[in-house]
Amino acid sequence: MAKKPTAPQDWTREYIKYRIREVFGSMAAMARCYGLHPSVIKRALGVPYPKVDRVIAMALREDPATIWPSRYHRDVPAGNPRLWRRWINVKSTTDEDGETVNPGAAD
């Protein structure tokens, strides 16, 4: 029997904290650097928080979809309207011609 393809796994909370500490020394220092309250960083590690997800990804020089594929993968939010709205507000893609395409725009 063929195995089902496994979905990419999110980075663990501890690994994200490790990477933040490696670059900034502490999560509070990163929050100050970007003008955020330290508790917001902790909250984003547990629940989808698109604005802070982008800040964390930018600080770690990664894409939010690389860190949290379950939050930003196109197929996952399709069944959950709440996540789909967030995905539309955060994610923009590029088509084959290099033009930016907004996935939430009506054709």
Side-chain angles (χ1 to χ4, degrees):
M1 180 180 269
K3 289 185 177 180
K4 289 173 104 176
T6 58
Q9 296 293 314
D10 290 354
W11 289 10
T12 64
R13 182 183 185 115
E14 292 302 316
Y15 182 67
I16 296 168
K17 287 172 22 180
Y18 164 75
R19 293 276 309 266
I20 290 171
R21 287 186 194 123
E22 186 178 48
V23 175
F24 293 95
S26 70
M27 291 175 41
M30 184 193 133
R32 282 191 302 271
C33 183
Y34 288 95
L36 299 171
H37 193 276
S39 67
V40 174
I41 304 292
K42 293 176 187 173
R43 178 180 162 91
L45 297 179
V47 297
Y49 201 145
K51 178 182 175 184
V52 180
D53 291 351
R54 285 191 307 262
V55 169
I56 292 171
M58 183 174 54
L60 299 179
R61 295 188 177 139
E62 296 286 345
D63 184 53
T66 303
I67 300 173
W68 297 282
S70 66
R71 295 183 191 180
Y72 295 98
H73 190 271
R74 181 181 287 276
D75 297 334
V76 172
N80 186 337
R82 185 170 175 212
L83 287 177
W84 182 247
R85 282 195 308 270
R86 290 180 174 171
W87 188 84
I88 288 171
N89 291 332
V90 172
K91 187 78 171 171
S92 65
T93 57
T94 307
D95 64 5
E96 299 84 69
D97 301 329
E99 295 180 33
T100 301
V101 177
N102 184 353
D107 293 56

